[in-house]
Amino acid sequence: MTTAPLLRSTPGWRAWLVWGVAVAAYILAITNRSSLSAVGVDAAERFQADAATLSLFAVVQLAVYGGMQLPVGVLLDRYGSRPIMVIGMLLMALGQFVMAISPSIGIALVARVLLGAGDAAIFPAVLRLVATWFPAQRGPVMVQMTGLVGQTGQLAALLPLAALLHATTWTITFGSVAGLGLLFAILVWAIVRNHPPEQPADLSVNTETGAVRVVTSAIDTGVGIRAAWAHPGTRLAFWSHFTTPFASTAFLLLWGMPYLTAGEGLSAAAAAALLSLNVVVAMTLSPILGILSRRIPTRRSLALVLPSIGIQVVAWVTVAFWPGPAPMWLLTVLVVCLAAGGPASMIAFDHARTHNPAHRLSTATGVTNSGGFLAALTAIFLIGLTLDLQGAGTPDTYTLEAFRWAFLTQLPLWAIGVAFIIHERKSTRIRMGLDPERKRHR
């Protein structure tokens, strides 16, 4: 039996360099993902798209993203982060190039498919690098830091990208983003490595017990996915990620800007400021929730996840039933409450990492990550469909009343998610021996 050197308890400069380049690539991935958030009206006008068609851009992108999470997770477990990230960056660059030159909705949808497929590879790959380059005890904080820094990609999409579009042309704007994707593919290949040089393979080290486990595995797809899903901790992770971030994703990715401008009557600058505030608040909350998640591992759901969902529901219901246009202070409260969803969703990956062995780490991460994007694409589509059904499907026909009813379609998603979180939390605690078995009724 061969032994491998242990990971150092304190990461060195090379670990931080690898993480820094990987997170920079993740920032660009989020910019790509959010590239229609501030230019949704421009896209509607360019492609003569109604609300359902406009939402289809985001739905297709997120559907591919969510659908790719499981195969990406298995590929990461087999080949490691570096090659998968490079392929992801190249796919996103190709997608944005196609978007830059697309003459029709059909070609633009192909571009969003490529974009979603490439985007799907980046975040799970960065989380894997965290697991292989950093001690386990730093995991929750490093995951939150990754999410925190990555959020700057949304700011880039909201401000510089929109400004570039209005100063130049559609082709120049999206072509420039494609060029950045190609540049970062080269950068990732040159600097990122799957594991520290002193290790022969990807290793995960438990710093409390000193146990070393090889992460790379020739895993069977079906067996790995079934084994990950069989553990209630993975299902708890899935439903936590399903329920916490989708409202913020739908708001930032597509419907926030049209709602705030055409619905609430704000200027484009004021609306962009509110969306940017959402991102800044999420970045502020990320390290706080990371520290709390590490300190209260058995109470994460009750103390952090469920409260973050509750404030989002209360905020949206209040805004939806406010008589007339909502005042600025209430819209500010809304975007602040929605901002809690992103950092809270990162707690789901703590569940996935805690309850799965290292050889299916990325597979479990993929299962978890697919939850939030399944909910987000459902929410985005329901909002667009509800607008169309009310005869408010184009920028010229958007109304505040139509937007209110459209956003209320998120309530069933929250209800479903909360019910499963409560159920799977109980199952997980039973599996861990913290709660007694459920009594069976005869």
Side-chain angles (χ1 to χ4, degrees), residues 9 50 79 103-104 112 118 125 155 173 177 183 189 209 264 274 313 369 382 393 413-414 422:
S9 60
D50 59 17
Y79 299 107
S104 65
R112 304 313 281 185
L155 292 177
T173 300
V177 179
L183 175 63
W189 183 259
T209 64
E264 293 288 354
L274 280 177
V313 173
N369 208 19
L382 288 176
L413 295 176
W414 275 312
I422 293 172

Short mmCIF file of all heavy atoms in Angstrom, two decimals, residues 9 50 79 103-104 112 118 125 155 173 177 183 189 209 264 274 313 369 382 393 413-414 422:
data_model
loop_
_atom_site.label_atom_id
_atom_site.label_comp_id
_atom_site.label_asym_id
_atom_site.label_seq_id
_atom_site.Cartn_x
_atom_site.Cartn_y
_atom_site.Cartn_z
N SER A 9 -1.61 21.97 6.76
CA SER A 9 -2.73 22.53 7.50
C SER A 9 -2.99 23.98 7.12
O SER A 9 -4.10 24.48 7.28
CB SER A 9 -2.48 22.41 9.01
OG SER A 9 -1.30 23.13 9.35
N ASP A 50 -41.38 38.51 -27.35
CA ASP A 50 -42.34 38.79 -26.28
C ASP A 50 -41.77 38.23 -24.97
O ASP A 50 -40.67 37.70 -24.92
CB ASP A 50 -43.71 38.20 -26.60
CG ASP A 50 -43.68 36.69 -26.80
OD1 ASP A 50 -42.70 36.05 -26.39
OD2 ASP A 50 -44.65 36.15 -27.38
N TYR A 79 -11.58 13.37 -14.02
CA TYR A 79 -10.45 14.05 -14.65
C TYR A 79 -9.92 15.25 -13.88
O TYR A 79 -8.87 15.79 -14.23
CB TYR A 79 -10.84 14.50 -16.07
CG TYR A 79 -11.20 13.36 -16.97
CD1 TYR A 79 -12.53 13.14 -17.34
CD2 TYR A 79 -10.22 12.50 -17.46
CE1 TYR A 79 -12.87 12.08 -18.17
CE2 TYR A 79 -10.56 11.43 -18.30
CZ TYR A 79 -11.89 11.24 -18.65
OH TYR A 79 -12.22 10.18 -19.47
N PRO A 103 -28.40 36.42 -36.01
CA PRO A 103 -29.38 37.26 -36.68
C PRO A 103 -30.82 36.95 -36.28
O PRO A 103 -31.75 37.64 -36.68
CB PRO A 103 -29.16 36.90 -38.15
CG PRO A 103 -28.76 35.45 -38.10
CD PRO A 103 -28.02 35.25 -36.81
N SER A 104 -31.03 35.88 -35.52
CA SER A 104 -32.39 35.44 -35.22
C SER A 104 -32.46 34.82 -33.84
O SER A 104 -31.44 34.49 -33.22
CB SER A 104 -32.86 34.42 -36.27
OG SER A 104 -32.06 33.24 -36.18
N ARG A 112 -27.17 30.44 -26.21
CA ARG A 112 -27.45 30.27 -24.78
C ARG A 112 -27.24 28.82 -24.33
O ARG A 112 -26.87 28.56 -23.18
CB ARG A 112 -28.88 30.71 -24.44
CG ARG A 112 -29.23 32.13 -24.83
CD ARG A 112 -28.19 33.15 -24.45
NE ARG A 112 -28.24 33.53 -23.04
CZ ARG A 112 -27.49 34.49 -22.51
NH1 ARG A 112 -26.61 35.14 -23.26
NH2 ARG A 112 -27.59 34.77 -21.22
N GLY A 118 -21.09 25.61 -20.87
CA GLY A 118 -19.79 26.03 -20.37
C GLY A 118 -19.84 26.52 -18.95
O GLY A 118 -18.97 26.18 -18.11
N ALA A 125 -16.11 23.03 -10.43
CA ALA A 125 -14.66 22.84 -10.55
C ALA A 125 -13.91 23.66 -9.50
O ALA A 125 -12.92 23.20 -8.93
CB ALA A 125 -14.19 23.20 -11.95
N LEU A 155 -22.01 42.46 -11.07
CA LEU A 155 -21.81 43.91 -11.18
C LEU A 155 -21.26 44.26 -12.55
O LEU A 155 -21.64 45.27 -13.15
CB LEU A 155 -20.87 44.39 -10.08
CG LEU A 155 -21.38 44.32 -8.64
CD1 LEU A 155 -20.30 44.75 -7.67
CD2 LEU A 155 -22.62 45.19 -8.48
N THR A 173 -20.00 44.28 -28.24
CA THR A 173 -20.13 43.97 -26.82
C THR A 173 -19.97 42.49 -26.54
O THR A 173 -19.13 42.06 -25.72
CB THR A 173 -21.49 44.46 -26.29
OG1 THR A 173 -21.58 45.87 -26.47
CG2 THR A 173 -21.66 44.12 -24.82
N VAL A 177 -16.75 39.99 -24.86
CA VAL A 177 -16.88 39.00 -23.78
C VAL A 177 -16.36 37.64 -24.26
O VAL A 177 -15.71 36.90 -23.50
CB VAL A 177 -18.34 38.89 -23.31
CG1 VAL A 177 -18.47 37.84 -22.21
CG2 VAL A 177 -18.83 40.24 -22.80
N LEU A 183 -9.26 34.16 -23.54
CA LEU A 183 -8.09 34.53 -22.75
C LEU A 183 -8.04 33.75 -21.44
O LEU A 183 -6.98 33.24 -21.04
CB LEU A 183 -8.11 36.04 -22.47
CG LEU A 183 -7.01 36.58 -21.55
CD1 LEU A 183 -5.64 36.36 -22.18
CD2 LEU A 183 -7.25 38.06 -21.25
N TRP A 189 -5.49 27.04 -18.11
CA TRP A 189 -4.62 25.93 -18.50
C TRP A 189 -3.19 26.15 -18.04
O TRP A 189 -2.49 25.21 -17.64
CB TRP A 189 -4.65 25.74 -20.02
CG TRP A 189 -3.84 24.57 -20.47
CD1 TRP A 189 -2.59 24.56 -21.02
CD2 TRP A 189 -4.24 23.19 -20.39
NE1 TRP A 189 -2.18 23.28 -21.28
CE2 TRP A 189 -3.17 22.41 -20.91
CE3 TRP A 189 -5.39 22.54 -19.92
CZ2 TRP A 189 -3.23 21.03 -20.97
CZ3 TRP A 189 -5.43 21.16 -19.98
CH2 TRP A 189 -4.37 20.42 -20.50
N THR A 209 -8.97 14.21 11.83
CA THR A 209 -8.56 12.82 12.02
C THR A 209 -7.25 12.49 11.31
O THR A 209 -6.62 11.49 11.60
CB THR A 209 -9.65 11.87 11.51
OG1 THR A 209 -9.78 12.04 10.09
CG2 THR A 209 -10.98 12.16 12.17
N GLU A 264 -42.36 49.54 -12.05
CA GLU A 264 -42.35 50.50 -10.95
C GLU A 264 -42.03 51.93 -11.41
O GLU A 264 -42.13 52.87 -10.60
CB GLU A 264 -41.33 50.06 -9.89
CG GLU A 264 -41.70 48.78 -9.17
CD GLU A 264 -42.87 48.97 -8.19
OE1 GLU A 264 -43.30 50.13 -7.99
OE2 GLU A 264 -43.34 47.96 -7.63
N LEU A 274 -30.26 49.58 -7.70
CA LEU A 274 -30.90 48.60 -6.81
C LEU A 274 -30.38 47.19 -7.05
O LEU A 274 -30.11 46.44 -6.10
CB LEU A 274 -32.42 48.64 -7.00
CG LEU A 274 -33.18 49.76 -6.29
CD1 LEU A 274 -34.66 49.70 -6.63
CD2 LEU A 274 -32.99 49.67 -4.77
N VAL A 313 -39.95 35.65 1.17
CA VAL A 313 -41.39 35.51 0.96
C VAL A 313 -42.14 36.73 1.49
O VAL A 313 -43.00 37.29 0.81
CB VAL A 313 -41.90 34.22 1.65
CG1 VAL A 313 -43.43 34.15 1.58
CG2 VAL A 313 -41.27 32.98 1.02
N ASN A 369 -26.12 21.49 -6.96
CA ASN A 369 -26.15 22.71 -7.77
C ASN A 369 -27.31 22.72 -8.75
O ASN A 369 -27.83 23.79 -9.10
CB ASN A 369 -24.83 22.85 -8.52
CG ASN A 369 -24.48 24.30 -8.82
OD1 ASN A 369 -25.01 25.22 -8.20
ND2 ASN A 369 -23.59 24.50 -9.77
N LEU A 382 -42.29 30.75 -15.51
CA LEU A 382 -43.63 31.05 -15.00
C LEU A 382 -43.91 32.55 -14.99
O LEU A 382 -45.02 32.99 -15.31
CB LEU A 382 -43.80 30.48 -13.59
CG LEU A 382 -43.92 28.96 -13.48
CD1 LEU A 382 -43.98 28.54 -12.01
CD2 LEU A 382 -45.15 28.46 -14.23
N GLY A 393 -46.88 41.05 -22.50
CA GLY A 393 -45.72 40.28 -22.86
C GLY A 393 -44.60 41.02 -23.55
O GLY A 393 -43.58 40.42 -23.87
N LEU A 413 -43.18 27.43 -5.36
CA LEU A 413 -41.82 26.89 -5.34
C LEU A 413 -41.23 26.96 -3.94
O LEU A 413 -40.57 26.02 -3.47
CB LEU A 413 -40.94 27.64 -6.34
CG LEU A 413 -41.31 27.49 -7.82
CD1 LEU A 413 -40.41 28.37 -8.68
CD2 LEU A 413 -41.21 26.04 -8.26
N TRP A 414 -41.43 28.09 -3.27
CA TRP A 414 -40.96 28.21 -1.89
C TRP A 414 -41.63 27.18 -0.99
O TRP A 414 -40.98 26.55 -0.15
CB TRP A 414 -41.24 29.61 -1.36
CG TRP A 414 -40.19 30.62 -1.70
CD1 TRP A 414 -38.85 30.49 -1.58
CD2 TRP A 414 -40.42 31.93 -2.23
NE1 TRP A 414 -38.21 31.64 -1.99
CE2 TRP A 414 -39.14 32.55 -2.39
CE3 TRP A 414 -41.55 32.66 -2.57
CZ2 TRP A 414 -38.99 33.84 -2.87
CZ3 TRP A 414 -41.40 33.95 -3.05
CH2 TRP A 414 -40.13 34.53 -3.20
N ILE A 422 -37.56 20.59 5.51
CA ILE A 422 -37.93 20.14 6.86
C ILE A 422 -37.89 18.60 6.93
O ILE A 422 -37.38 18.01 7.89
CB ILE A 422 -39.32 20.68 7.23
CG1 ILE A 422 -39.27 22.20 7.38
CG2 ILE A 422 -39.83 20.03 8.52
CD1 ILE A 422 -40.61 22.86 7.55
#
